[in-house]
Amino acid sequence: MIRWNLSIPEETDRSVRTFLARNGGRKGDLSRFVDEAVRRRVLDLTVSQVKERNAAYDQQDLLDLVDEEVKAARAGRS
């Protein structure tokens, strides 16, 4: 595990801690909450970047390419 030193607004801290306490929060829940939130945000940003990068391409062409690659991967497994 890695330790982070973060500075966040007091209102955010209070909101998260109140939410966790209302839901039976236990030791380590704040770390798990932050970890999950960061992972989701990274995924959202990654998806947005991929969508933006692929916006110039025809959607059906992309779907066909994905289908071809999935079929090839499955054929290689057999």
Side-chain angles (χ1 to χ4, degrees):
M1 295 296 264
I2 301 295
R3 285 191 155 289
W4 284 5
N5 292 317
L6 304 173
S7 297
I8 60 168
E10 186 176 330
E11 182 179 333
T12 302
D13 178 63
R14 196 171 29 248
S15 295
V16 171
R17 290 180 189 274
T18 300
F19 173 80
L20 293 173
R22 282 190 201 141
N23 291 283
R26 299 175 189 192
K27 185 174 182 166
D29 281 355
L30 180 58
S31 293
R32 282 187 288 278
F33 187 90
V34 171
D35 181 46
E36 182 180 332
V38 169
R39 287 173 185 264
R40 285 182 184 210
R41 182 65 175 144
V42 169
L43 177 61
D44 288 346
L45 291 172
T46 301
V47 168
S48 293
Q49 289 175 347
V50 170
K51 284 181 177 181
E52 192 173 307
R53 184 181 66 219
N54 292 334
Y57 300 102
D58 180 69
Q59 183 178 7
Q60 191 57 53
D61 289 344
L62 291 174
L63 292 173
D64 292 343
L65 180 61
V66 168
D67 286 341
E68 288 175 29
E69 293 301 320
V70 168
K71 286 177 187 174
R74 287 183 177 157
R77 265 193 330 198
S78 301

Coordinates of all heavy atoms in Angstrom, one line a residue:
M1 N 0.8 -1.2 0.0 CA 0.0 0.0 0.0 C 0.9 1.3 0.0 O 1.9 1.3 0.6 CB -0.9 0.0 1.2 CG -1.9 -1.1 1.3 SD -3.1 -1.0 0.0 CE -4.4 -0.2 0.8
I2 N 0.4 2.3 -0.6 CA 1.1 3.6 -0.7 C 0.3 4.6 0.1 O -1.0 4.6 0.0 CB 1.2 4.0 -2.2 CG1 1.9 3.0 -3.1 CG2 1.8 5.4 -2.3 CD1 3.3 2.8 -2.7
R3 N 1.0 5.4 0.8 CA 0.3 6.5 1.5 C 0.3 7.8 0.6 O 1.3 8.1 0.0 CB 1.0 6.8 2.8 CG 0.8 5.8 3.9 CD 1.4 6.4 5.2 NE 0.8 5.8 6.4 CZ -0.5 6.0 6.8 NH1 -1.3 6.8 6.1 NH2 -0.9 5.5 7.9
W4 N -0.9 8.5 0.6 CA -1.0 9.7 0.0 C -1.3 10.8 1.0 O -2.0 10.6 2.0 CB -2.2 9.7 -1.0 CG -2.0 9.0 -2.3 CD1 -1.0 8.3 -2.7 CD2 -3.0 8.9 -3.3 NE1 -1.2 7.7 -3.9 CE2 -2.5 8.1 -4.3 CE3 -4.3 9.5 -3.5 CZ2 -3.1 7.9 -5.5 CZ3 -4.9 9.2 -4.6 CH2 -4.4 8.4 -5.7
N5 N -0.7 12.0 0.8 CA -1.1 13.1 1.6 C -1.9 14.1 0.7 O -1.4 14.5 -0.3 CB 0.2 13.9 2.1 CG 1.0 13.0 3.1 OD1 0.4 12.4 4.0 ND2 2.3 13.0 2.9
L6 N -3.1 14.2 1.0 CA -4.0 15.0 0.2 C -4.6 16.2 0.9 O -4.8 16.2 2.2 CB -5.2 14.1 -0.2 CG -4.9 12.8 -0.9 CD1 -6.2 12.0 -1.1 CD2 -4.3 13.1 -2.3
S7 N -4.8 17.2 0.2 CA -5.5 18.4 0.7 C -6.8 18.5 0.0 O -6.9 18.6 -1.2 CB -4.7 19.7 0.5 OG -3.5 19.6 1.2
I8 N -7.9 18.5 0.8 CA -9.2 18.6 0.2 C -10.0 19.6 1.0 O -9.7 19.8 2.2 CB -10.0 17.3 0.1 CG1 -10.2 16.7 1.5 CG2 -9.3 16.3 -0.8 CD1 -11.1 15.5 1.6
P9 N -11.1 20.2 0.4 CA -11.9 21.1 1.2 C -12.5 20.5 2.4 O -12.9 19.3 2.4 CB -13.0 21.6 0.2 CG -12.4 21.3 -1.2 CD -11.5 20.1 -1.0
E10 N -12.6 21.2 3.5 CA -13.2 20.7 4.7 C -14.7 20.2 4.5 O -15.1 19.2 5.0 CB -13.3 21.8 5.7 CG -13.7 21.4 7.1 CD -13.6 22.5 8.1 OE1 -12.8 23.4 8.0 OE2 -14.4 22.4 9.1
E11 N -15.4 20.9 3.6 CA -16.8 20.5 3.3 C -16.8 19.1 2.7 O -17.7 18.2 3.0 CB -17.5 21.5 2.4 CG -18.9 21.1 2.1 CD -19.6 22.2 1.2 OE1 -19.2 23.4 1.3 OE2 -20.5 21.8 0.5
T12 N -15.9 18.8 1.8 CA -15.8 17.5 1.1 C -15.5 16.4 2.2 O -16.1 15.4 2.2 CB -14.7 17.5 0.0 OG1 -15.1 18.5 -0.9 CG2 -14.6 16.1 -0.7
D13 N -14.5 16.7 3.0 CA -14.1 15.8 4.1 C -15.3 15.5 5.0 O -15.6 14.3 5.2 CB -13.0 16.4 4.9 CG -12.6 15.4 6.1 OD1 -12.1 14.3 5.8 OD2 -12.8 15.9 7.2
R14 N -16.0 16.5 5.4 CA -17.2 16.3 6.3 C -18.3 15.5 5.6 O -18.9 14.6 6.1 CB -17.7 17.7 6.7 CG -18.7 17.6 7.9 CD -19.0 19.0 8.4 NE -19.0 20.1 7.4 CZ -18.1 21.1 7.4 NH1 -17.2 21.2 8.4 NH2 -18.2 22.1 6.5
S15 N -18.5 15.8 4.3 CA -19.6 15.1 3.5 C -19.2 13.6 3.4 O -20.1 12.7 3.6 CB -19.7 15.7 2.1 OG -20.2 17.0 2.2
V16 N -18.0 13.3 3.1 CA -17.6 11.9 2.9 C -17.7 11.1 4.2 O -18.2 10.0 4.3 CB -16.2 11.8 2.2 CG1 -15.7 10.3 2.2 CG2 -16.2 12.3 0.8
R17 N -17.1 11.7 5.2 CA -17.1 11.1 6.5 C -18.5 10.9 7.1 O -18.8 9.8 7.7 CB -16.2 11.8 7.5 CG -14.7 11.7 7.2 CD -13.9 12.5 8.1 NE -12.5 12.6 7.7 CZ -11.6 11.6 7.9 NH1 -11.9 10.5 8.6 NH2 -10.3 11.8 7.5
T18 N -19.4 11.8 6.9 CA -20.8 11.7 7.3 C -21.4 10.6 6.5 O -22.1 9.8 7.1 CB -21.5 13.0 7.1 OG1 -20.9 14.1 7.9 CG2 -23.0 12.9 7.5
F19 N -21.2 10.6 5.2 CA -21.8 9.5 4.4 C -21.3 8.1 4.9 O -22.2 7.2 5.0 CB -21.4 9.7 2.9 CG -21.8 8.6 2.1 CD1 -23.2 8.5 1.6 CD2 -20.9 7.6 1.7 CE1 -23.5 7.4 0.8 CE2 -21.3 6.5 0.9 CZ -22.6 6.4 0.5
L20 N -20.0 8.0 5.1 CA -19.5 6.7 5.5 C -20.1 6.3 6.9 O -20.4 5.1 7.1 CB -18.0 6.7 5.5 CG -17.3 6.8 4.2 CD1 -15.8 7.0 4.3 CD2 -17.6 5.6 3.3
A21 N -20.2 7.3 7.8 CA -20.7 7.0 9.1 C -22.1 6.5 9.1 O -22.5 5.6 9.8 CB -20.5 8.2 10.0
R22 N -22.9 7.2 8.3 CA -24.3 6.8 8.1 C -24.5 5.4 7.6 O -25.5 4.8 7.8 CB -25.1 7.8 7.2 CG -25.4 9.0 7.8 CD -26.3 9.8 6.9 NE -26.3 11.2 7.2 CZ -26.3 12.2 6.4 NH1 -26.4 12.0 5.1 NH2 -26.2 13.5 6.8
N23 N -23.5 4.9 6.9 CA -23.6 3.6 6.2 C -22.7 2.6 6.9 O -22.2 1.6 6.3 CB -23.2 3.7 4.8 CG -24.2 4.5 4.0 OD1 -25.2 3.9 3.6 ND2 -24.0 5.7 3.7
G24 N -22.5 2.8 8.2 CA -21.8 1.8 9.0 C -20.3 1.8 8.8 O -19.7 0.7 8.8
G25 N -19.7 3.0 8.5 CA -18.3 3.1 8.2 C -17.4 2.4 9.2 O -17.7 2.5 10.4
R26 N -16.4 1.8 8.7 CA -15.4 1.2 9.6 C -14.0 1.7 9.2 O -13.8 2.4 8.2 CB -15.4 -0.3 9.4 CG -16.8 -0.9 9.8 CD -16.9 -2.3 9.5 NE -18.3 -2.8 9.7 CZ -18.6 -4.0 9.7 NH1 -17.8 -5.0 9.6 NH2 -19.9 -4.3 9.9
K27 N -13.0 1.2 10.0 CA -11.6 1.6 9.8 C -11.3 1.2 8.3 O -11.5 0.1 7.9 CB -10.7 0.9 10.8 CG -9.3 1.4 10.6 CD -8.4 0.8 11.7 CE -7.0 1.3 11.6 NZ -6.2 1.1 12.7
G28 N -10.7 2.1 7.6 CA -10.2 1.8 6.2 C -11.2 2.1 5.2 O -10.9 2.1 4.0
D29 N -12.5 2.5 5.6 CA -13.5 2.8 4.6 C -13.2 4.0 3.8 O -13.5 4.1 2.6 CB -14.9 2.9 5.2 CG -15.5 1.6 5.5 OD1 -14.9 0.5 5.1 OD2 -16.6 1.6 6.2
L30 N -12.6 5.0 4.4 CA -12.2 6.3 3.7 C -11.2 6.0 2.6 O -11.4 6.4 1.5 CB -11.7 7.3 4.7 CG -11.3 8.7 4.0 CD1 -12.5 9.3 3.3 CD2 -10.8 9.6 5.1
S31 N -10.2 5.2 2.9 CA -9.2 4.8 1.9 C -9.9 4.0 0.8 O -9.6 4.3 -0.4 CB -8.1 4.0 2.5 OG -7.4 4.7 3.4
R32 N -10.8 3.1 1.1 CA -11.4 2.3 0.0 C -12.3 3.2 -0.8 O -12.4 3.1 -2.0 CB -12.2 1.2 0.6 CG -11.4 0.0 1.1 CD -12.2 -1.2 1.5 NE -12.8 -1.0 2.8 CZ -12.2 -1.1 4.0 NH1 -10.9 -1.5 4.0 NH2 -12.8 -0.9 5.1
F33 N -13.0 4.2 -0.2 CA -13.9 5.1 -0.9 C -13.1 5.9 -1.9 O -13.4 6.1 -3.0 CB -14.6 6.0 0.1 CG -15.6 6.9 -0.5 CD1 -16.9 6.5 -0.6 CD2 -15.3 8.2 -0.9 CE1 -17.9 7.3 -1.1 CE2 -16.2 9.0 -1.5 CZ -17.6 8.6 -1.6
V34 N -12.0 6.5 -1.4 CA -11.1 7.3 -2.3 C -10.5 6.5 -3.4 O -10.5 6.9 -4.6 CB -10.0 8.0 -1.5 CG1 -9.0 8.7 -2.4 CG2 -10.6 9.0 -0.5
D35 N -10.1 5.2 -3.1 CA -9.5 4.4 -4.1 C -10.5 4.1 -5.2 O -10.2 4.2 -6.4 CB -9.0 3.0 -3.5 CG -8.4 2.1 -4.5 OD1 -7.6 2.5 -5.3 OD2 -8.8 0.9 -4.4
E36 N -11.8 3.7 -4.8 CA -12.8 3.5 -5.8 C -13.1 4.7 -6.6 O -13.3 4.6 -7.8 CB -14.1 3.0 -5.1 CG -15.2 2.6 -6.1 CD -16.4 2.1 -5.4 OE1 -16.3 1.5 -4.3 OE2 -17.5 2.3 -6.0
A37 N -13.2 5.8 -6.0 CA -13.5 7.1 -6.7 C -12.4 7.4 -7.7 O -12.7 7.8 -8.8 CB -13.7 8.2 -5.7
V38 N -11.2 7.2 -7.3 CA -10.1 7.5 -8.2 C -10.1 6.6 -9.4 O -9.9 7.0 -10.6 CB -8.7 7.5 -7.5 CG1 -7.6 7.6 -8.5 CG2 -8.7 8.7 -6.5
R39 N -10.3 5.3 -9.1 CA -10.4 4.3 -10.2 C -11.5 4.6 -11.2 O -11.3 4.5 -12.4 CB -10.6 2.9 -9.6 CG -9.3 2.3 -9.0 CD -9.7 1.0 -8.3 NE -8.6 0.5 -7.5 CZ -7.7 -0.4 -8.0 NH1 -7.9 -0.9 -9.2 NH2 -6.7 -0.8 -7.2
R40 N -12.6 5.0 -10.7 CA -13.8 5.3 -11.6 C -13.5 6.5 -12.4 O -13.8 6.6 -13.6 CB -15.0 5.5 -10.8 CG -15.7 4.3 -10.3 CD -16.9 4.6 -9.5 NE -17.5 3.3 -9.0 CZ -18.7 3.1 -8.8 NH1 -19.6 4.0 -9.1 NH2 -19.1 2.0 -8.3
R41 N -12.8 7.5 -11.8 CA -12.5 8.8 -12.5 C -11.5 8.5 -13.6 O -11.6 9.0 -14.7 CB -12.0 9.8 -11.5 CG -11.7 11.2 -12.2 CD -12.9 11.8 -12.8 NE -12.6 13.1 -13.3 CZ -13.1 13.7 -14.3 NH1 -14.1 13.1 -15.0 NH2 -12.7 14.9 -14.7
V42 N -10.5 7.7 -13.3 CA -9.5 7.3 -14.3 C -10.1 6.6 -15.5 O -9.9 6.9 -16.7 CB -8.3 6.5 -13.7 CG1 -7.4 5.9 -14.8 CG2 -7.5 7.4 -12.8
L43 N -11.0 5.7 -15.2 CA -11.8 4.9 -16.2 C -12.6 5.9 -17.1 O -12.6 5.8 -18.3 CB -12.6 3.9 -15.6 CG -13.5 3.1 -16.6 CD1 -12.6 2.3 -17.6 CD2 -14.4 2.1 -15.9
D44 N -13.3 6.8 -16.4 CA -14.1 7.8 -17.1 C -13.3 8.6 -18.1 O -13.7 8.8 -19.2 CB -14.9 8.7 -16.2 CG -16.0 8.0 -15.5 OD1 -16.4 6.9 -15.9 OD2 -16.5 8.6 -14.5
L45 N -12.2 9.1 -17.6 CA -11.3 9.9 -18.4 C -10.7 9.1 -19.6 O -10.6 9.6 -20.7 CB -10.2 10.5 -17.6 CG -10.6 11.6 -16.6 CD1 -9.4 12.0 -15.6 CD2 -11.1 12.8 -17.3
T46 N -10.3 7.9 -19.3 CA -9.8 7.0 -20.4 C -10.8 6.8 -21.4 O -10.5 6.9 -22.6 CB -9.3 5.7 -19.8 OG1 -8.3 5.9 -18.8 CG2 -8.7 4.8 -20.8
V47 N -12.1 6.5 -21.0 CA -13.1 6.2 -22.0 C -13.4 7.5 -22.8 O -13.5 7.4 -24.1 CB -14.4 5.8 -21.3 CG1 -15.6 5.8 -22.2 CG2 -14.2 4.4 -20.7
S48 N -13.4 8.6 -22.2 CA -13.6 9.9 -22.9 C -12.5 10.1 -23.9 O -12.8 10.6 -25.1 CB -13.6 11.1 -21.9 OG -14.8 11.0 -21.1
Q49 N -11.3 9.9 -23.5 CA -10.2 10.0 -24.5 C -10.3 9.1 -25.7 O -10.0 9.5 -26.8 CB -8.8 9.8 -23.8 CG -8.5 10.9 -22.8 CD -7.2 10.6 -22.0 OE1 -6.7 9.5 -22.0 NE2 -6.7 11.7 -21.3
V50 N -10.6 7.9 -25.4 CA -10.8 6.9 -26.5 C -11.9 7.3 -27.4 O -11.7 7.3 -28.7 CB -11.0 5.5 -26.0 CG1 -11.4 4.5 -27.1 CG2 -9.7 5.0 -25.2
K51 N -13.0 7.7 -26.9 CA -14.1 8.2 -27.7 C -13.7 9.4 -28.5 O -14.1 9.4 -29.7 CB -15.3 8.5 -26.8 CG -16.1 7.3 -26.3 CD -17.3 7.8 -25.4 CE -18.1 6.6 -24.9 NZ -19.2 7.1 -24.1
E52 N -13.0 10.3 -27.9 CA -12.6 11.5 -28.7 C -11.6 11.1 -29.8 O -11.7 11.6 -30.9 CB -11.9 12.5 -27.7 CG -11.7 13.8 -28.2 CD -11.1 14.8 -27.1 OE1 -11.8 14.9 -26.1 OE2 -10.1 15.4 -27.4
R53 N -10.7 10.2 -29.5 CA -9.7 9.8 -30.5 C -10.4 9.1 -31.6 O -10.0 9.2 -32.8 CB -8.7 8.9 -29.8 CG -7.6 8.5 -30.7 CD -6.6 7.5 -30.0 NE -7.2 6.3 -29.7 CZ -7.0 5.6 -28.6 NH1 -6.2 6.1 -27.7 NH2 -7.6 4.5 -28.3
N54 N -11.4 8.3 -31.3 CA -12.1 7.5 -32.4 C -13.3 8.2 -33.0 O -13.9 7.6 -33.9 CB -12.6 6.2 -31.8 CG -11.4 5.3 -31.4 OD1 -10.3 5.4 -32.0 ND2 -11.6 4.4 -30.4
A55 N -13.6 9.4 -32.6 CA -14.7 10.2 -33.2 C -14.7 10.3 -34.7 O -15.7 10.4 -35.3 CB -14.9 11.5 -32.5
A56 N -13.5 10.4 -35.2 CA -13.3 10.6 -36.7 C -13.6 9.4 -37.5 O -13.8 9.5 -38.7 CB -11.9 11.1 -37.0
Y57 N -13.7 8.2 -36.8 CA -13.9 7.0 -37.5 C -15.4 6.6 -37.6 O -16.1 6.9 -36.7 CB -13.1 5.9 -36.9 CG -11.6 6.1 -36.9 CD1 -11.0 6.6 -35.7 CD2 -10.9 5.9 -38.0 CE1 -9.6 6.8 -35.7 CE2 -9.5 6.2 -38.0 CZ -8.9 6.6 -36.9 OH -7.5 6.9 -36.9
D58 N -15.7 5.9 -38.6 CA -17.1 5.4 -38.7 C -17.4 4.3 -37.6 O -16.6 3.4 -37.4 CB -17.3 4.7 -40.1 CG -18.7 4.2 -40.3 OD1 -19.7 5.0 -40.3 OD2 -18.8 3.0 -40.3
Q59 N -18.4 4.5 -36.9 CA -18.7 3.6 -35.8 C -18.9 2.1 -36.2 O -18.4 1.2 -35.6 CB -20.0 4.0 -35.0 CG -20.3 3.1 -33.8 CD -21.5 3.6 -33.0 OE1 -22.2 4.5 -33.4 NE2 -21.7 2.9 -31.9
Q60 N -19.5 1.9 -37.4 CA -19.7 0.5 -37.8 C -18.4 -0.1 -38.2 O -18.2 -1.3 -37.9 CB -20.7 0.5 -39.0 CG -21.1 -0.9 -39.4 CD -21.7 -1.7 -38.2 OE1 -22.7 -1.2 -37.6 NE2 -21.3 -2.8 -37.9
D61 N -17.5 0.7 -38.8 CA -16.1 0.2 -39.1 C -15.4 -0.3 -37.8 O -14.7 -1.3 -37.8 CB -15.3 1.2 -39.8 CG -15.8 1.5 -41.3 OD1 -16.6 0.6 -41.8 OD2 -15.4 2.5 -41.8
L62 N -15.5 0.5 -36.8 CA -14.9 0.2 -35.5 C -15.5 -1.1 -34.9 O -14.8 -2.0 -34.4 CB -15.0 1.3 -34.5 CG -14.2 2.6 -34.8 CD1 -14.6 3.7 -33.8 CD2 -12.7 2.3 -34.7
L63 N -16.8 -1.2 -34.9 CA -17.5 -2.4 -34.4 C -17.1 -3.6 -35.2 O -16.9 -4.7 -34.6 CB -19.0 -2.2 -34.4 CG -19.6 -1.2 -33.5 CD1 -21.1 -1.0 -33.7 CD2 -19.3 -1.6 -32.0
D64 N -17.0 -3.5 -36.5 CA -16.6 -4.6 -37.4 C -15.1 -5.0 -37.0 O -14.8 -6.2 -36.9 CB -16.7 -4.3 -38.8 CG -18.1 -4.1 -39.3 OD1 -19.0 -4.6 -38.6 OD2 -18.3 -3.5 -40.4
L65 N -14.3 -4.1 -36.8 CA -12.9 -4.4 -36.4 C -12.8 -5.1 -35.1 O -12.1 -6.1 -34.9 CB -12.1 -3.1 -36.4 CG -10.6 -3.2 -36.0 CD1 -9.9 -4.0 -37.0 CD2 -10.0 -1.8 -35.9
V66 N -13.6 -4.6 -34.1 CA -13.6 -5.3 -32.8 C -14.1 -6.7 -33.0 O -13.5 -7.6 -32.4 CB -14.5 -4.5 -31.8 CG1 -14.8 -5.3 -30.6 CG2 -13.9 -3.2 -31.5
D67 N -15.2 -6.9 -33.7 CA -15.7 -8.3 -34.0 C -14.7 -9.2 -34.6 O -14.5 -10.3 -34.2 CB -16.9 -8.2 -34.9 CG -18.2 -7.7 -34.2 OD1 -18.2 -7.7 -32.9 OD2 -19.1 -7.3 -34.9
E68 N -13.9 -8.7 -35.6 CA -12.9 -9.5 -36.2 C -11.8 -9.8 -35.2 O -11.3 -11.0 -35.2 CB -12.2 -8.7 -37.3 CG -13.1 -8.5 -38.6 CD -12.4 -7.6 -39.6 OE1 -11.2 -7.5 -39.6 OE2 -13.2 -6.9 -40.3
E69 N -11.4 -8.9 -34.4 CA -10.3 -9.2 -33.4 C -10.8 -10.1 -32.3 O -10.0 -11.0 -31.9 CB -9.8 -7.9 -32.8 CG -9.1 -7.0 -33.7 CD -7.9 -7.6 -34.4 OE1 -7.2 -8.3 -33.7 OE2 -7.7 -7.4 -35.6
V70 N -12.0 -10.0 -31.9 CA -12.6 -11.0 -30.9 C -12.6 -12.4 -31.5 O -12.2 -13.4 -30.8 CB -14.0 -10.5 -30.4 CG1 -14.7 -11.6 -29.6 CG2 -13.9 -9.3 -29.6
K71 N -13.1 -12.5 -32.7 CA -13.1 -13.8 -33.4 C -11.7 -14.4 -33.5 O -11.5 -15.6 -33.3 CB -13.8 -13.7 -34.8 CG -15.2 -13.5 -34.7 CD -15.8 -13.3 -36.1 CE -17.3 -13.0 -36.1 NZ -17.8 -12.7 -37.4
A72 N -10.7 -13.6 -33.9 CA -9.4 -14.0 -34.0 C -8.8 -14.5 -32.7 O -8.1 -15.5 -32.6 CB -8.5 -12.9 -34.6
A73 N -9.1 -13.7 -31.6 CA -8.6 -14.1 -30.3 C -9.2 -15.4 -29.8 O -8.6 -16.2 -29.2 CB -8.9 -13.0 -29.3
R74 N -10.5 -15.6 -30.1 CA -11.2 -16.8 -29.7 C -10.7 -18.0 -30.5 O -10.5 -19.1 -30.0 CB -12.7 -16.7 -29.9 CG -13.3 -15.8 -28.8 CD -14.8 -15.7 -29.0 NE -15.4 -14.9 -27.9 CZ -16.5 -14.3 -28.0 NH1 -17.3 -14.4 -29.0 NH2 -16.9 -13.6 -26.9
A75 N -10.4 -17.8 -31.7 CA -9.8 -18.9 -32.6 C -8.4 -19.3 -32.1 O -8.1 -20.5 -32.1 CB -9.8 -18.4 -34.0
G76 N -7.7 -18.3 -31.6 CA -6.3 -18.6 -31.1 C -6.4 -19.4 -29.8 O -5.4 -20.1 -29.5
R77 N -7.4 -19.3 -29.1 CA -7.6 -20.0 -27.8 C -7.9 -21.4 -28.0 O -7.6 -22.2 -27.1 CB -8.7 -19.3 -27.0 CG -8.3 -18.3 -26.0 CD -9.3 -18.0 -25.0 NE -10.7 -18.1 -25.6 CZ -11.8 -17.6 -25.1 NH1 -11.7 -16.9 -24.0 NH2 -12.9 -17.8 -25.6
S78 N -8.6 -21.8 -29.0 CA -9.1 -23.1 -29.2 C -8.0 -24.1 -29.4 O -7.0 -23.9 -29.9 CB -10.1 -23.2 -30.4 OG -11.1 -22.3 -30.1

